[in-house]
Amino acid sequence: MDMEPLAQGTPKRRRWVVEKREKKKKKKKKKKKKREQMEDPQANGDHNHNHIPKKLKLSSPSSFISDSEIRQEFAHHQLGIARINNGSFGSCPASIIAAQKQWQLRFLQQPDDFFFNHLQNGILRSRTLITSLINADHVDEVSIVDNATTAAAIVLQHVGWAFAEGRFQKGDAVVMLHCAFQAVKKSIEAYVTRAGGSVIVVQLPFPVHSDQEIIAEFRKGLAMGKAHGRKVRLAIIDHITSMPCVVIPVRELVQICREEGVEQVFVDAAHAIGSVHVDVKEIGADFYVSNLHKWFFCPPSVAFLYCRKSPIALDLHHPVVSHEYGNGLAIESAWIGTRDYSSQLVVPDVLDFVNRFEGGIAGIRKRNHDAVVRMGELLARAWGTHLGSPPEMCPSMAMVGLPSSLRISSDDDALKLRTHLRDHFEVEVPIYYQALKDGEIGGDNWDGRVAGYARISHQVYNTVDDYLKLRDAINQLVKDGVTCNNLP
Amino acid sequence: MASDDHHIPNGSTTTPPDIQFEFAHHDPAIARINNGSFGSCPSSVISAQQDWQLKWLQQPDDFYFNTLKPSILKARLIIRDLINADHVEEISIVDNATTAAAIVLQHVTWSFLSSQFQPGDAAIILHYAYGAIKKSLQAYVARAGGQIIEVKLPFPVNSDEEIIQEFGKALELGRMNGRKIRLALIDHITSMPSVVIPVKELVKMCREEDVDQIFVDGAHAIGCVDIDVKDIGADYYTSNLHKWFFCPPAVAFLHCKKSDILNQLHHPVVSHEYGNGLAIESSWIGTRDYSAQLVVPEVMDFVNRFDGGIDGIKKRNHEKVVEMAIMLAKAWGTHLGVPPQMCSSMAMVGLPACLGIFSHSDGLKLRAYLRDCFKVEVPIYYREPEKGEHTPITGYARISHQVYNTVEDYYKFRDAVNKLFNDGVTCAFLSD
């Protein structure tokens, strides 16, 4: 396009100078975008909240990830350790770590440009993918936070304000499961009890034999707690309890909560994504959180908090307040001061990774579940014990009874045994101490009493040898007459 | 040419760092004169951080049970010595100053809600306080019934006395009608515009006026100006180590003077450590990457390879940024917004009035334009002119100097603005 020569200093020339520069800039940007598109078809920087990228095509049979490739992806795991505790801290394959490092580098290279031009898009992209994964209606309902612990703080701080501002009355209750994660219990203490709320604790059975047992106990516990006309403002229900590990029939429990007039339901599904099927609409809770760094191959740490669209969702705030305060929880959570957000940005890379497996994440879940049940049964047979829950209530973890001769009599004993297994047998597995039920006779009668369970996990990197190592370690301890009492 | 940081100290056997190598990951095309916003991290520290990250990934359970806590304690001990605190219990490590503010202000909320404070009790804040801090006060203090009083500080400013005077007036206002001032929130170095505040004097004034508690937001301070928390005398002091102290994002310390209140402070993200003291609570807030908190020892090694250690770095950064600021002001016919003694490793340089910076959004547009078209990264501050000012300077560039900067960075900036000036470009012509 011909530009007529313009006189120096005229408004027309000034505008021409600016336009020329901006044209050059736009051309460069277009070239870069095209290059990025060719490298990654999903990098469209689309700000449209309703745009959900097409599902990635699953790999063809001949190109599924091989066993040796899996070993390579987890080659950084410490050699020699039977790592059967994916449940506690998760795991992350090498290709995702590499992708994360790329994001970290981009920030370090030019942090201002990263902050102004790339970070928000990257987080929105992750949120959009998660929205699709969990069958949420709208990406606005999905916020990304560090972990389930942070999500609990968000929801419970809101409850605290409701008490403080008179929307809730002193004595109004929050329901939780007896085996809720310790951080959740403490969060209830910090934000609910402190603000004048009361707590209803529902005891669930363990060992457990069926969903019906859980449903019955929950119904009973909730009804008892509501006695004297107490108003129940919030129920916190695990999708998969941590210790002991059991898949809870959340959909039914949410239904019971609605029937019993519980105002809001918060599902703590820390372990769920990548472990069991997650459909937030079907489950029907008001809030749902899960950690992507446990079973969904993300690096530490990243979790999503789903908040069903409602007036209350608009009043939720991240406890760390930045300049984004008031712009909605998802936007607030996307900037809580200068930090490393890279683990939140690799969700697209993780989808690529899981789709290298046959059946994608659903295939991984199924195979993990089948393997952990098989291994659980192998161990129970070897030790003469049993599983703490039936296979259909196990996710990718199983509770396997430990021989009574170990005499696990307390949480401390369980921790001692865990440490001993790590230090002397190179086996990493958490141990759960099952306290005696009311009326059970303890004392010195250890005959056949299973007071401890190992929570074994199975993730794609595990092999049968890991579980055989645990089997042999326990057998050795039993043979040597070791009890938790005489552990160092 | 790089600054004098690379010369070998007398009698020392440590090799000074290879600055080019340590910051080779910085985009070479950019004149990066904004260390103040997001800081910077040398390669040797990034490498140390990656080692820590790998340790976690290798065997997280073992790391959690045996390595994490003692390593955080090591970092806290180093920080305690750096800032002349008395006890390591007074030092908590958190993500950033924004998080520290949430901790302190959440405690203020509880004080209002439990009627220890009365509705209308006040919190005092500088008008130039960081945006996140102002929002935090809305979220935690105003919402709980507290009143916020902003101290308008002059800018351009010429001396500490101007600041002290304005602050005194605000304290008086705060105590009018028998109101109690529960908290004073004072920046050690304001962000925009960047000014070193005489915190020691202001803290003293607060004590004299019976202000309950004083919280110094020193986000920029560590690695930039001297910090002696005992000498400053505040109740709380926070600073980000990833801005001027070469740590990777993100790590900050919150110093809380030992008192009964220290036991009542909590991290807003509650883990099983709740109730074990703020430092312990902060050291475990769920599964996360804590590696940025663990490299403090490696950072000490890094800074001690420079002549004079961190003090030498501070001094040279300050001298260089003032020198560059004066050079730019001369080139553009403008002035510095603050005198040299009130500059840290940052300086506010007036931009030519003809650039037509008439709003905060103009400042942002100009910043983006400088980044995209001239490859210069520098934040622009918009100052609202006083009534009756004649062709006022309304825009200031906040230039930073860190060890990786060279004079070429500032020449590039000088030339960019000169070009805009010569082409008669104003913010009005820049697209949003």
Side-chain angles (χ1 to χ4, degrees), chain A residues 14 21-22 76 78 83 85 108-110 112 146-147 157 165 191 301 319 321 338-339 418 428, chain B residues 25 27 32 34 57-59 61 95-96 98 106 140 143 250 268 287-288 367 369 377 423-424 431:
Chain A
R14 289 199 287 271
R21 267 196 207 120
E22 303 216 330
H76 52 276
Q78 191 173 335
R83 183 168 164 152
N85 185 23
L108 294 166
Q109 277 171 333
Q110 221 297 43
D112 300 80
D146 273 354
N147 44 44
Q157 195 180 47
E165 291 170 337
Y191 286 113
S301 62
V321 176
T338 299
R339 294 190 348 149
R418 176 178 184 174
E428 187 62 58
Chain B
H25 51 278
D27 186 340
R32 182 168 166 152
N34 185 24
L57 293 166
Q58 279 172 330
Q59 220 298 44
D61 300 79
D95 273 354
N96 44 44
T98 306
Q106 206 179 47
Y140 285 115
R143 188 173 180 180
T287 298
R288 292 187 354 144
R367 177 178 184 175
Y369 194 66
E377 187 61 58
D423 292 343
S431 50

Side-chain angles (χ1 to χ4, degrees), chain B residues 261-307:
Chain B
I261 294 184
L262 177 52
N263 300 329
Q264 297 168 25
L265 291 176
H266 294 288
H267 197 290
V269 177
V270 176
S271 79
H272 66 272
E273 296 285 9
Y274 181 75
N276 290 338
L278 180 64
I280 300 300
E281 287 185 14
S282 306
S283 72
W284 185 258
I285 51 173
T287 298
R288 292 187 354 144
D289 180 355
Y290 294 89
S291 63
Q293 306 183 0
L294 306 179
V295 294
V296 177
E298 285 89 341
V299 169
M300 288 307 297
D301 290 342
F302 175 76
V303 302
N304 285 334
R305 289 164 64 196
F306 288 81
D307 186 15

Side-chain angles (χ1 to χ4, degrees), chain A residues 125-190:
Chain A
R125 204 164 138 208
S126 292
R127 286 170 56 211
T128 307
L129 290 170
I130 293 167
T131 303
S132 172
L133 259 174
I134 64 174
N135 194 31
D137 269 334
H138 206 274
V139 73
D140 289 348
E141 296 174 319
V142 175
S143 304
I144 293 184
V145 296
D146 273 354
N147 44 44
T149 304
T150 307
I154 289 171
V155 175
L156 292 172
Q157 195 180 47
H158 178 260
V159 170
W161 276 116
F163 277 104
E165 291 170 337
R167 288 192 298 283
F168 296 175
Q169 274 64 60
K170 280 217 162 14
D172 285 357
V174 166
V175 174
M176 74 174 195
L177 303 182
H178 174 72
C179 52
F181 196 58
Q182 186 63 357
V184 173
K185 290 184 175 176
K186 290 286 187 179
S187 301
I188 293 174
E189 194 187 312

Side-chain angles (χ1 to χ4, degrees), chain B residues 183-337:
Chain B
L183 180 73
L185 220 156
I186 309 172
D187 298 65
H188 193 158
I189 306 174
T190 51
S191 183
M192 278 301 225
S194 182
V195 182
V196 178
I197 302 291
V199 270
K200 192 176 169 188
E201 285 73 16
L202 299 196
V203 169
K204 193 154 167 279
M205 287 163 74
C206 287
R207 297 292 184 212
E208 285 162 5
E209 295 293 322
D210 216 20
V211 171
D212 262 13
Q213 303 231 284
I214 304 153
F215 177 20
V216 174
D217 175 6
H220 284 270
I222 189 144
C224 195
V225 294
D226 289 340
I227 303 178
D228 182 330
V229 289
K230 290 222 294 270
D231 191 44
I232 291 168
D235 298 283
Y236 313 108
Y237 190 106
T238 184
S239 189
N240 290 334
L241 285 94
H242 53 260
K243 274 194 191 291
W244 294 94
F245 208 74
F246 304 104
C247 285
V251 48
F253 71 82
L254 171 57
H255 169 260
C256 305
K257 201 163 70 165
K258 233 178 181 175
S259 74
D260 293 327
I261 294 184
L262 177 52
N263 300 329
Q264 297 168 25
L265 291 176
H266 294 288
H267 197 290
V269 177
V270 176
S271 79
H272 66 272
E273 296 285 9
Y274 181 75
N276 290 338
L278 180 64
I280 300 300
E281 287 185 14
S282 306
S283 72
W284 185 258
I285 51 173
T287 298
R288 292 187 354 144
D289 180 355
Y290 294 89
S291 63
Q293 306 183 0
L294 306 179
V295 294
V296 177
E298 285 89 341
V299 169
M300 288 307 297
D301 290 342
F302 175 76
V303 302
N304 285 334
R305 289 164 64 196
F306 288 81
D307 186 15
I310 191 62
D311 288 336
I313 292 172
K314 280 189 312 223
K315 182 172 184 296
R316 287 185 295 273
N317 276 339
H318 168 75
E319 285 166 1
K320 260 295 188 261
V321 86
V322 167
E323 189 189 318
M324 293 297 105
I326 290 171
M327 182 271 292
L328 291 170
K330 265 210 187 90
W332 300 332
T334 60
H335 57 254
L336 268 60

Side-chain angles (χ1 to χ4, degrees), chain B residues 13-47:
Chain B
T13 51
T14 359
T15 36
D18 177 350
I19 304 277
Q20 286 230 336
F21 166 75
E22 290 287 0
F23 295 96
H25 51 278
H26 285 194
D27 186 340
I30 304 281
R32 182 168 166 152
I33 45 185
N34 185 24
N35 195 75
S37 283
F38 301 107
S40 50
C41 185
S43 305
S44 46
V45 175
I46 294 169
S47 172

Side-chain angles (χ1 to χ4, degrees), chain A residues 8-11 13-15 17-19 21-22 25-26 28-29 76-78 81 83 85 88-92 97 100-101 104-105 107-113 115-117 146-147 149-150 153 157-158 160-162 164-165 167 182-184 186-187 189-191 194-195 293-294 299-302 315 317-325 335-341 415 418 422-423 428 430, chain B residues 25-27 30 32 34 37-41 46 49-50 53-54 56-62 64-66 95-96 98-99 102 106-107 109-110 113 130-133 135-140 143-144 240 242-243 248-251 264 266-275 284-290 364 367-369 371-375 377 379 419-420 422-426 429-431:
Chain A
Q8 281 267 21
T10 60
R13 172 168 173 92
R14 289 199 287 271
R15 226 185 313 266
V17 164
V18 171
E19 278 170 2
R21 267 196 207 120
E22 303 216 330
K25 178 185 91 179
K26 275 194 182 109
K28 236 181 167 177
K29 221 177 180 177
H76 52 276
H77 284 194
Q78 191 173 335
I81 301 279
R83 183 168 164 152
N85 185 23
S88 281
F89 302 110
S91 50
C92 184
I97 296 167
Q100 185 192 21
K101 286 205 170 97
Q104 289 167 335
L105 183 60
F107 177 84
L108 294 166
Q109 277 171 333
Q110 221 297 43
D112 300 80
D113 177 55
F115 171 76
F116 282 106
N117 299 322
D146 273 354
N147 44 44
T149 304
T150 307
Q157 195 180 47
H158 178 260
W161 276 116
E165 291 170 337
R167 288 192 298 283
Q182 186 63 357
V184 173
K186 290 286 187 179
S187 301
E189 194 187 312
Y191 286 113
R194 189 173 181 183
H293 53 262
K294 273 194 193 290
S301 62
V302 48
D315 199 28
H317 294 286
H318 197 291
V320 177
V321 176
S322 78
H323 66 272
E324 296 285 11
Y325 182 74
W335 185 259
I336 50 173
T338 299
R339 294 190 348 149
D340 181 355
Y341 294 88
L415 198 56
R418 176 178 184 174
R422 178 187 308 122
D423 294 345
E428 187 62 58
Chain B
H25 51 278
H26 285 194
D27 186 340
I30 304 281
R32 182 168 166 152
N34 185 24
S37 283
F38 301 107
S40 50
C41 185
I46 294 169
Q49 185 193 20
Q50 288 177 347
Q53 288 167 335
L54 183 60
W56 165 269
L57 293 166
Q58 279 172 330
Q59 220 298 44
D61 300 79
D62 179 50
Y64 170 77
F65 283 107
N66 299 321
D95 273 354
N96 44 44
T98 306
T99 307
Q106 206 179 47
H107 178 258
T109 303
W110 283 116
L113 298 182
Y130 193 58
I133 301 294
K135 293 281 188 176
S136 301
L137 280 161
Q138 287 303 310
Y140 285 115
R143 188 173 180 180
N240 290 334
H242 53 260
K243 274 194 191 291
V251 48
Q264 297 168 25
H266 294 288
H267 197 290
V269 177
V270 176
S271 79
H272 66 272
E273 296 285 9
Y274 181 75
W284 185 258
I285 51 173
T287 298
R288 292 187 354 144
D289 180 355
Y290 294 89
L364 281 175
R367 177 178 184 175
Y369 194 66
R371 176 187 309 120
D372 295 341
C373 300
F374 291 95
K375 302 276 183 247
E377 187 61 58
K419 188 142 194 6
L420 294 174
N422 289 331
D423 292 343
V425 172
T426 72
F429 294 117
L430 302 178
S431 50

Side-chain angles (χ1 to χ4, degrees), chain A residues 436-485:
Chain A
L436 288 170
K437 286 210 259 286
D438 282 338
E440 262 193 313
I441 299 167
D444 277 338
N445 179 13
W446 281 95
D447 250 353
R449 171 152 51 106
V450 173
Y453 290 78
R455 184 187 77 183
I456 61 169
S457 293
H458 188 283
Q459 185 46 297
V460 300
Y461 54 80
N462 286 118
T463 67
V464 184
D465 286 338
D466 296 329
Y467 307 89
L468 298 181
K469 203 163 175 174
L470 172 61
R471 176 197 66 185
D472 296 344
I474 296 293
N475 283 343
Q476 187 67 48
L477 291 175
V478 169
K479 188 158 165 249
D480 294 342
V482 172
T483 69
C484 285
N485 242 349

